[in-house]
Amino acid sequence: MRFLVAGALLACLPAQAQPVHSPEVAADRTVTFRLMAPAAHEVNLAGEFMKGSKPLEKNAQGLWSVTVGPLEPEIYNYNFTIDGVKTIDPNDPAVKTGSTPSTIQSILEVRADRPSFYDAQPVPHGEIRTHWYESKSLKTTRRLTVYTPPGYDHNAGTHYPVLYLFHGANADETAWTRLGHVNLILDNLLAVSKSKPFLVVMPFGYGVPPGSANPIAGGNTAAFGRDLLEDVIPFVESHYRAYTDRDHRAIAGLSMGGGQSLSIGLNHLELFSYVGGFSAGIRTAEFQQNYGAFVADPQKANQKLHLLWLGCGTDDSLFPASESLSKMLDDAKIKHIFKKSDGAHTWINWRRYLNEFAPLLF
Amino acid sequence: MRFLVAGALLACLPAQAQPVHSPEVAADRTVTFRLMAPAAHEVNLAGEFMKGSKPLEKNAQGLWSVTVGPLEPEIYNYNFTIDGVKTIDPNDPAVKTGSTPSTIQSILEVRADRPSFYDAQPVPHGEIRTHWYESKSLKTTRRLTVYTPPGYDHNAGTHYPVLYLFHGANADETAWTRLGHVNLILDNLLAVSKSKPFLVVMPFGYGVPPGSANPIAGGNTAAFGRDLLEDVIPFVESHYRAYTDRDHRAIAGLSMGGGQSLSIGLNHLELFSYVGGFSAGIRTAEFQQNYGAFVADPQKANQKLHLLWLGCGTDDSLFPASESLSKMLDDAKIKHIFKKSDGAHTWINWRRYLNEFAPLLF
């Protein structure tokens, strides 16, 4: 009997007989990555905690390993390349997934001595709700993720402002919760009264199939925009106690979703009064088309917009585009914040931008 | 500018220059798996659609491939073993994850001409809510997943029965929604009036750290049971419009969770009246300890239980344990259903069992 039970459970275990501990974070925050691969010729590590890649070294048993760091406490993505095949660390249960294979990576969490702004803390918690809705504009069933702040269920008389928050290319409507920790960041801000309570609505950002076209070119934004304006917003405002005026609506996104939030938000000042673009996926060649009408009327822009917030890391290859947009806004005398941060095109920055952006809303 | 933008997006793509399409489902439902790995010596495929494993063959460009099937429409887990390293298919965005690395696999979905019972269909949809709650019994912040049936938000006067539903070893509180499609199965049953509307509460099934002990031995069930009875049920009954009597409470689970639901449910007939064990992780050596008191009073059992449902696949190495439990119940003249199905220890069966079990509740 014992044998049969053990057989059933072991059937799920990887081929390696011995469990391999990877990644292992030591007390000094150095991190050791390991892989049992006696037949492999070359194993490399790449990750958001380093530039380029680093080879692992093989011991006599075929166990490859490398140690990096010490690393700053943070949540990092990384991957192995095993004899030319880029893949995850098969011994790490934390896997980043999305809507295309290019998003797949392993996740390393290096904890600080004290909880970080994105960690679960013993404070009142909001909820994450997942809806399946019929998109009339896109003629399909889609998923929608909504954060409700602590107490939402028990404050029957209270209405809430809404932040529409978009993910990047290759991701999906779960990215801001699973990778962005949006609920924990907002729970923690609320617990110290640094932010007002508001709903966060996170739709699926593809109006065309993921991978079918350049995701930051205009076609996808147009299709996604129809779903947002014709399906998502009406769904939210009929299901939640949401304010329905522009003063209580914000729109923001990262990468592809930053291009969407800027393009849709700045061209719909009748709907939105707070606009954010995090490491926005924007192209200077399309500036005139996307923002021409907006910058042509700076008086209206400054009067209508309570906040226009741009952020980008100087190591991000999209940095020059954000800088050019900021300069275009400066030239037109349109008030905005341009947060020029360290770092690259990573969730490290997007969590931090959200933590900085949220207290400025509503 | 274009170059910079392309650079940012390409940075996320795998090392292979050409996108590789894998798995590819043909019109005749044969499925081709591919992997670009010029340096590899041996690549094997294993999956729930076949016994054992099958080698891929390499062409002159280093592209490995193999075709299997035709396959029955279903959702299958599979993996590659590349030169002895068991890993995912890096070109498939659908990855099964959980609380330990042993759960990581790729997911293949073969669609039928018509939607399956577990597919999203254009019917009224329930919601999935994720809560973060402080478990006083386990002294930590934990997550809890809840399904609310269609219309829950708008039926302010209505109360609902509750099914407490548990995942298996190496999984987590998201498994029944992500892999089990619990919400879609129940939405579809409700749409044709085959089931009553009820809440489904899916807690995290580990009271000890995943991987730290035999998950189906008693220690984990005891710790998990405290969290369930002292924290989860009070949380649910104070947050939701749930009936709070035994006639409106069901408890069920799969594998490790099936052991938990049987052990907790059958020993708490004052709390539960419907009990289900799907491919239950149970050990005959513990039958007396776990069910001795229950089978000692068959009159009480038959009077109190509205349903005791066991299901297991004949290819499951846990089948003999379920069969032994059923025989023990027969010997004691305790009414129950024992569903002896085809198949093994897979989500294929667990989705089907739920679809059969749910209409018998409440």
Side-chain angles (χ1 to χ4, degrees):
Chain A
M1 215 59 246
R2 260 173 192 277
F3 170 74
L4 285 165
V5 171
L9 296 167
L10 288 173
C12 308
L13 291 174
Q16 296 94 300
Q18 292 293 325
V20 170
H21 191 178
S22 180
E24 182 174 18
V25 182
D28 67 353
R29 299 203 311 265
T30 57
V31 183
T32 301
F33 298 84
R34 297 186 180 91
L35 179 75
M36 180 57 77
H41 297 289
E42 190 181 14
V43 181
N44 283 291
L45 166 73
E48 291 177 344
F49 41 76
M50 62 194 271
K51 305 257 179 199
S53 67
K54 198 166 178 171
L56 282 73
E57 288 186 14
K58 182 158 69 166
N59 75 7
Q61 285 72 48
L63 180 69
W64 297 75
S65 65
V66 67
T67 298
V68 303
L71 301 181
E72 287 302 305
E74 200 28 282
I75 305 171
Y76 303 96
N77 299 326
Y78 73 99
N79 65 273
F80 287 160
T81 300
I82 308 172
D83 286 342
V85 178
K86 181 177 166 185
T87 189
I88 56 167
D89 175 350
N91 294 295
D92 180 354
V95 183
K96 172 174 166 275
T97 59
S99 55
T100 76
S102 62
T103 200
I104 300 172
Q105 294 206 276
S106 291
I107 299 173
L108 162 69
E109 189 155 355
V110 179
R111 291 187 182 278
D113 298 332
R114 305 178 57 178
S116 291
F117 70 95
Y118 52 73
D119 282 330
Q121 297 183 30
V123 298
H125 295 292
E127 292 174 28
I128 295 295
R129 300 195 192 187
T130 307
H131 298 273
W132 280 250
Y133 69 99
E134 311 304 329
S135 169
K136 289 186 293 292
S137 60
L138 298 174
K139 297 183 175 53
T140 183
T141 305
R142 286 161 72 88
R143 291 201 308 188
L144 184 66
T145 309
V146 177
Y147 165 79
T148 59
Y152 177 85
D153 285 333
H154 295 289
N155 297 332
T158 307
H159 280 65
Y160 292 81
V162 186
L163 165 62
Y164 291 86
L165 185 63
F166 310 146
H167 63 77
N170 308 305
D172 67 24
E173 73 287 347
T174 69
W176 265 108
T177 51
R178 287 189 302 136
L179 308 167
H181 293 206
V182 57
N183 57 308
L184 302 176
I185 292 172
L186 297 181
D187 289 348
N188 291 338
L189 287 170
L190 281 163
V192 292
S193 303
K194 282 196 180 172
S195 166
K196 297 205 174 61
F198 52 85
L199 303 168
V200 184
V201 173
M202 296 157 280
F204 181 49
Y206 281 97
V208 299
S212 68
N214 183 332
I216 70 168
N220 183 46
T221 298
F224 167 71
R226 282 195 301 277
D227 182 52
L228 178 74
L229 302 181
E230 297 168 23
D231 290 290
V232 171
I233 294 179
F235 179 93
V236 167
E237 296 183 350
S238 68
H239 275 72
Y240 288 93
R241 298 189 312 277
Y243 285 117
T244 58
D245 60 306
R246 61 179 300 284
D247 286 333
H248 292 92
R249 279 203 209 100
I251 185 168
L254 72 89
S255 194
M256 175 181 90
Q260 294 169 336
S261 61
L262 294 171
S263 176
I264 299 169
L266 299 180
N267 289 303
H268 288 282
L269 296 182
E270 80 283 8
L271 299 177
F272 304 99
S273 59
Y274 300 82
V275 179
F278 304 169
S279 312
I282 52 179
R283 312 202 291 185
T284 52
E286 292 176 351
F287 276 12
Q288 189 54 39
Q289 179 193 329
N290 287 341
Y291 318 119
F294 170 74
V295 296
D297 193 347
Q299 197 183 345
K300 179 183 169 194
N302 286 329
Q303 188 194 355
K304 291 275 190 182
L305 276 178
H306 302 318
L307 178 67
L308 172 52
W309 196 97
L310 304 175
C312 201
T314 51
D315 292 340
D316 191 329
S317 55
L318 285 164
F319 183 80
S322 275
E323 198 171 43
S324 296
L325 180 59
S326 176
K327 185 170 182 311
M328 186 186 189
L329 297 170
D330 277 338
D331 290 348
K333 299 197 171 16
I334 293 176
K335 282 181 290 182
H336 67 285
I337 292 171
F338 178 37
K339 165 86 181 184
K340 201 175 182 169
S341 76
D342 289 338
H345 204 70
T346 68
W347 277 103
I348 298 172
N349 271 340
W350 303 325
R351 286 184 289 264
R352 292 176 184 174
Y353 296 165
L354 178 69
N355 196 46
E356 200 165 320
F357 180 71
L360 308 176
L361 298 179
F362 311 121
Chain B
M1 212 59 247
R2 262 173 190 277
F3 170 74
L4 285 164
V5 170
L9 297 168
L10 288 173
C12 308
L13 292 174
Q16 296 94 299
Q18 292 291 327
V20 170
H21 191 177
S22 180
E24 182 175 16
V25 183
D28 67 353
R29 299 202 311 264
T30 56
V31 182
T32 301
F33 298 85
R34 298 187 179 89
L35 178 75
M36 180 58 77
H41 297 289
E42 189 181 14
V43 181
N44 283 291
L45 166 73
E48 291 176 344
F49 40 78
M50 61 195 266
K51 304 257 179 200
S53 68
K54 197 166 178 172
L56 282 73
E57 289 186 12
K58 180 158 70 166
N59 74 7
Q61 285 72 49
L63 180 68
W64 297 76
S65 64
V66 67
T67 299
V68 302
L71 301 181
E72 287 302 305
E74 202 24 284
I75 305 171
Y76 303 96
N77 298 325
Y78 72 99
N79 64 271
F80 288 161
T81 300
I82 307 172
D83 286 343
V85 178
K86 182 179 166 184
T87 188
I88 56 166
D89 175 351
N91 294 296
D92 179 354
V95 183
K96 171 173 167 276
T97 59
S99 56
T100 76
S102 63
T103 200
I104 299 172
Q105 294 206 278
S106 291
I107 299 171
L108 162 69
E109 190 157 353
V110 179
R111 290 187 183 278
D113 298 332
R114 305 176 58 175
S116 290
F117 69 95
Y118 52 72
D119 283 329
Q121 297 183 29
V123 299
H125 295 292
E127 293 174 28
I128 295 294
R129 301 195 190 187
T130 308
H131 298 273
W132 280 250
Y133 70 99
E134 310 306 330
S135 168
K136 289 186 293 292
S137 60
L138 298 173
K139 297 187 176 53
T140 182
T141 304
R142 286 163 71 90
R143 291 199 309 187
L144 183 66
T145 309
V146 178
Y147 166 78
T148 59
Y152 177 86
D153 285 333
H154 296 288
N155 297 333
T158 307
H159 280 64
Y160 292 81
V162 186
L163 164 62
Y164 291 86
L165 184 63
F166 309 148
H167 63 78
N170 308 305
D172 67 24
E173 72 288 347
T174 68
W176 265 108
T177 51
R178 287 189 303 135
L179 307 167
H181 293 208
V182 58
N183 57 309
L184 303 177
I185 291 172
L186 296 180
D187 289 347
N188 292 338
L189 286 171
L190 281 163
V192 293
S193 303
K194 283 194 180 172
S195 166
K196 297 205 175 61
F198 53 85
L199 302 167
V200 184
V201 173
M202 295 158 280
F204 181 49
Y206 281 97
V208 299
S212 68
N214 182 333
I216 70 169
N220 183 45
T221 297
F224 167 72
R226 282 194 301 278
D227 181 52
L228 178 74
L229 302 181
E230 296 167 22
D231 290 291
V232 171
I233 294 179
F235 179 92
V236 167
E237 296 183 351
S238 69
H239 275 72
Y240 288 92
R241 298 190 311 278
Y243 286 117
T244 58
D245 59 306
R246 60 179 299 284
D247 287 332
H248 292 92
R249 279 202 209 100
I251 186 168
L254 72 90
S255 192
M256 174 180 92
Q260 293 169 335
S261 61
L262 294 171
S263 176
I264 299 169
L266 300 180
N267 289 302
H268 288 282
L269 296 182
E270 79 284 8
L271 298 177
F272 304 98
S273 59
Y274 299 82
V275 179
F278 305 168
S279 313
I282 53 178
R283 312 201 292 185
T284 52
E286 292 175 353
F287 276 12
Q288 189 53 38
Q289 179 191 331
N290 288 341
Y291 318 119
F294 170 74
V295 297
D297 193 347
Q299 196 182 348
K300 179 182 167 195
N302 286 328
Q303 187 192 356
K304 291 274 190 183
L305 275 179
H306 302 316
L307 177 68
L308 172 50
W309 195 99
L310 304 175
C312 200
T314 52
D315 292 340
D316 192 328
S317 56
L318 286 165
F319 183 81
S322 275
E323 198 170 42
S324 297
L325 181 58
S326 176
K327 185 170 182 311
M328 185 185 191
L329 297 170
D330 277 337
D331 291 347
K333 298 198 172 14
I334 293 176
K335 281 181 290 183
H336 67 286
I337 293 172
F338 179 35
K339 165 86 181 182
K340 200 178 187 169
S341 76
D342 290 337
H345 204 70
T346 67
W347 277 105
I348 297 172
N349 270 340
W350 303 326
R351 285 184 290 264
R352 292 176 185 174
Y353 295 165
L354 179 69
N355 197 47
E356 199 164 320
F357 180 70
L360 307 177
L361 297 179
F362 309 120

